[in-house]
Amino acid sequence: MNNEQLIINNSQVLEGYKQTEVGVIPENWEVIPLKVISRVNQGLQIAIEERLNHPTEKSKRYITIQAINSGEFTEYIESYSPSVCCTENDVLMTRTGNTGIIVTGISGVFHNNFFKVDFDRDKLNKDFFVYYLRTETTQKIILEKAGTSTIPDLNHNDFYSIEIVLPPIEEQQAIATTLSDIDALIAKLDKLIAKKRHLKTATMQQLLTGKKRLPGFGESINNEQLIINNSQVPEGYKQTGVGVIPEDWDVRILGSLASIQRGASPRPIDNPVWFDRNSLVGWVRISDVTRSGIYLQETKQKLSPLGIQHSRSVSKGSLIMSICATVGRPIITEIDVCIHDGFVVLDNLKTEQLFMYYILKWLEPSWSKQGQTGSQMNLNTELINSTAVYLPSTLEQRAIATVLSDIDTEITALETRRTKTQAIKQGMMQELLTGRTRLINNE
C-alpha cells in the first residue's frame, strides 16, 4: 500500500496500522532505541610496526577500513583479547572516518575505528539488522549523529539513541530472506559480468595479435607454435621487429593510420564565460568518458560560442582518446563536442573505426606504463604516433570488431539488468522495512 492509503483524511490511520514518531507502521511492529536491544564495543588499535605481514599459528587477521575497501587482508595480530575479535556471524560498523559502513561475514581482530554490535538474537535477526542499518534513512541518521567535523565520530550513546522499526522475528526472517535472494541475483550478475569482461580481454589478446583467426581468414596458432626451436616461424606466419604475425598482416605505427590531434583548453578553465548549458556542443571531461561505454552520447558541460573558439571542435562520429590522468581511454562521439588538451582525436582513419577503437582499448593498460609522470599521468602525441600495431585486411578488421562488439553488447545488457535489479532491491527495502508491503500478516 502507498502513503495515501496509510493515512485517511490526514487523521485516520488505516486499520492494522498505527501512527508513531517515525511514521505509520503495522500495529504489531515496535519502534525501539538500539540501547534496548544491543551493546557495542570498540576494537583494538595496533601500531603499524607491531602488525605482522604473514599469519602465524596463533595470529588473526587485522580488520581495518583499508582492508575492507581493498578486499585484501595482509596484516595480522598475535596479541588480542576476546572482546576485540569477531566471527563471520558478527556485525561491525565503522564509527569514525567513513562512519556507517556495515560489515559482516568476516572474522579476525577489528580496528578501533569499528564498533562490534552485540544484540539480542532472539528478538533481532542478524540479516534484517544489517539491511536496516544500510538503508538510506538509517545511514543519514548515523552520519548526522557522527557530526560534520573533519573526522566524523559516532560515540556509544549516539549509536544507542538510533531507533529501529522492529517487526516480529518471523517477519524479520522473511524480509531478510527476500532481500538476500535479490542480493544473490545481483552477485550472480556480477560474476557473469566479470566472466564476460575476462572473455573480452582474452579474445582481444588473441584476435588483435593474429594468434586466433576467425573462420575464412587463416589458421590459428597457439603459444607453443609461435616459434619452433627458437628460430622456425609457423607456416602462414612471419617474424617482424615487434613479434610473429600472420603473413597477410602488416605492422604499422598509429601515426600512419590517423591524423592525431590534441585538444585545446580555454583559460582560466573555470571561467563561466566559456560555458552555456543551452548549447548543443558538449565539452568532454574524463568523467563523461569513464561512465560511458563505446559511444559518448552526452556530456555534463556545454560550451558557449566563445568557449568553442578556444577549444578543439570534434564532429559527431569521431574517435577520441584521453591522454591525461586516466590515460588511453578511447570513445566514439555520437554528438558534436569539443575536447580539451587532455584528449586527442584520431581523424582521417585508414582503418575501420571500430577496429581502431578496440586496438586502442587493447593498448589502454600499457599506456600508463609508457606515459610521462608528473602531478598526473599523461601521454604525448609523439608517443602515440610512434606506437606500432598489427593490421589485418579491412574485411578481417570488420569481422574482429563485430566479434568484440557483440561481447560488449552482452556485457552492457548484463550491466543494465544489474542496475535494474539494484533499483528493485532499493524499492523493496523501502517497502519491506517500513511495513508498507507485508510478507507475513500477523493480524
Side-chain angles (χ1 to χ4, degrees):
M1 66 184 62
N2 56 39
N3 289 333
E4 289 72 20
Q5 292 174 308
L6 286 174
I7 301 180
I8 303 173
N9 296 325
N10 296 321
S11 59
Q12 184 180 349
V13 178
L14 192 67
E15 184 178 356
Y17 287 79
K18 62 185 177 184
Q19 181 72 58
T20 71
E21 63 272 23
V22 298
V24 178
I25 64 172
E27 280 186 338
N28 61 334
W29 287 31
E30 298 179 88
V31 179
I32 59 174
L34 288 178
K35 67 179 179 182
V36 174
I37 204 167
S38 68
R39 285 290 179 271
V40 296
N41 67 277
Q42 295 173 208
L44 180 67
Q45 186 164 348
I46 296 292
I48 293 177
E49 59 270 17
E50 296 180 25
R51 304 174 192 177
L52 305 178
N53 295 323
H54 301 283
T56 65
E57 185 176 344
K58 66 174 183 177
S59 70
K60 291 182 181 290
R61 60 181 174 180
Y62 194 36
I63 301 170
T64 63
I65 293 177
Q66 292 77 12
I68 295 297
N69 290 336
S70 68
E72 297 180 358
F73 295 87
T74 58
E75 296 178 320
Y76 301 86
I77 302 296
E78 276 193 325
S79 180
Y80 47 80
S81 64
S83 65
V84 295
C85 297
C86 66
T87 69
E88 294 182 354
N89 200 36
D90 285 320
V91 175
L92 302 179
M93 187 185 82
T94 51
R95 64 176 190 84
T96 186
N98 296 322
T99 308
I101 299 173
I102 311 302
V103 181
T104 189
I106 61 173
S107 61
V109 178
F110 56 96
H111 189 275
N112 188 50
N113 284 342
F114 289 89
F115 279 145
K116 181 172 76 170
V117 188
D118 290 319
F119 53 93
D120 187 341
R121 294 175 186 261
D122 292 329
K123 296 181 179 179
L124 183 56
N125 175 274
K126 187 202 81 169
D127 294 329
F128 174 88
F129 189 32
V130 168
Y131 283 119
Y132 194 89
L133 291 174
R134 287 175 176 168
T135 62
E136 184 178 343
T137 300
T138 306
Q139 285 288 302
K140 183 179 179 180
I141 293 171
I142 289 172
L143 294 177
E144 287 175 350
K145 290 181 178 294
T148 57
S149 62
T150 305
I151 303 178
D153 190 356
L154 187 76
N155 63 43
H156 293 64
N157 288 332
D158 285 335
F159 178 84
Y160 291 143
S161 69
I162 297 170
E163 292 182 318
I164 183 169
V165 179
L166 207 61
I169 192 69
E170 297 83 3
E171 194 163 2
Q172 292 179 41
Q173 178 64 57
I175 291 170
T177 299
T178 299
L179 295 175
S180 179
D181 288 344
I182 299 177
D183 275 338
L185 176 56
I186 293 172
K188 182 179 179 181
L189 290 171
D190 284 336
K191 287 183 179 180
L192 283 173
I193 291 169
K195 183 177 180 180
K196 285 291 182 181
R197 286 176 177 163
H198 179 75
L199 172 64
K200 175 187 169 183
T201 300
T203 303
M204 288 172 67
Q205 173 67 27
Q206 294 291 310
L207 292 181
L208 296 176
T209 60
K211 292 178 182 177
K212 180 176 178 61
R213 307 293 297 275
L214 296 173
F217 293 103
E219 296 294 325
S220 301
I221 59 172
N222 56 41
N223 289 333
E224 288 72 23
Q225 292 174 305
L226 276 177
I227 297 181
I228 302 173
N229 297 326
N230 295 320
S231 60
Q232 185 178 350
V233 178
E235 184 178 354
Y237 285 75
K238 61 185 178 185
Q239 181 72 57
T240 72
V242 291
V244 175
I245 64 172
E247 282 185 337
D248 55 341
W249 285 33
D250 292 323
V251 176
R252 300 282 295 275
I253 59 172
L254 286 175
S256 70
L257 299 174
S259 173
I260 301 172
Q261 303 293 325
R262 189 170 185 171
S265 298
R267 295 285 192 259
I269 203 167
D270 57 351
N271 192 328
V273 72
W274 311 126
F275 305 101
D276 179 1
R277 66 179 61 183
N278 296 317
S279 171
L280 297 178
V281 178
W283 199 49
V284 185
R285 307 299 295 266
I286 190 61
S287 57
D288 298 317
V289 175
T290 53
R291 68 169 179 263
S292 302
I294 299 175
Y295 300 101
L296 179 65
Q297 298 174 326
E298 62 178 353
T299 61
K300 292 189 70 175
Q301 291 182 301
K302 306 290 181 64
L303 287 182
S304 67
L306 189 60
I308 294 170
Q309 291 178 26
H310 288 77
S311 188
R312 179 178 291 279
S313 296
V314 173
S315 59
K316 179 168 55 179
S318 297
L319 175 61
I320 63 175
M321 184 180 75
S322 62
I323 61 170
C324 184
T326 303
V327 300
R329 182 69 57 88
I331 199 165
I332 299 171
T333 63
E334 285 196 335
I335 53 175
D336 293 326
V337 299
C338 286
I339 56 172
H340 59 67
D341 50 14
F343 289 89
V344 293
V345 58
L346 287 79
D347 282 332
N348 305 316
L349 284 174
K350 297 179 177 64
T351 66
E352 290 294 303
Q353 185 185 67
L354 196 54
F355 176 81
M356 178 58 75
Y357 166 85
Y358 283 111
I359 284 287
L360 297 178
K361 198 68 182 172
W362 176 53
L363 289 170
E364 184 178 348
S366 67
W367 288 126
S368 60
K369 300 176 183 178
Q370 302 179 59
Q372 299 171 332
T373 57
S375 58
Q376 291 184 340
M377 177 66 67
N378 65 88
L379 296 173
N380 60 47
T381 53
E382 181 181 352
L383 176 60
I384 299 168
N385 275 300
S386 62
T387 298
V389 297
Y390 304 144
L391 194 68
S393 68
T394 299
L395 284 177
E396 193 165 3
Q397 290 176 38
R398 291 173 184 166
I400 291 171
T402 297
V403 169
L404 296 175
S405 179
D406 287 345
I407 298 175
D408 267 329
T409 298
E410 293 178 20
I411 292 172
T412 299
L414 287 170
E415 289 174 336
T416 300
R417 185 182 173 192
R418 179 185 60 185
T419 299
K420 290 180 178 178
T421 305
Q422 288 172 328
I424 290 171
K425 175 191 169 184
Q426 290 303 313
M428 291 188 69
M429 287 178 68
Q430 180 65 24
E431 291 290 310
L432 295 176
L433 295 173
T434 60
R436 293 176 186 172
T437 297
R438 306 293 300 277
L439 297 177
I440 295 177
N441 193 340
N442 292 292
E443 293 180 2

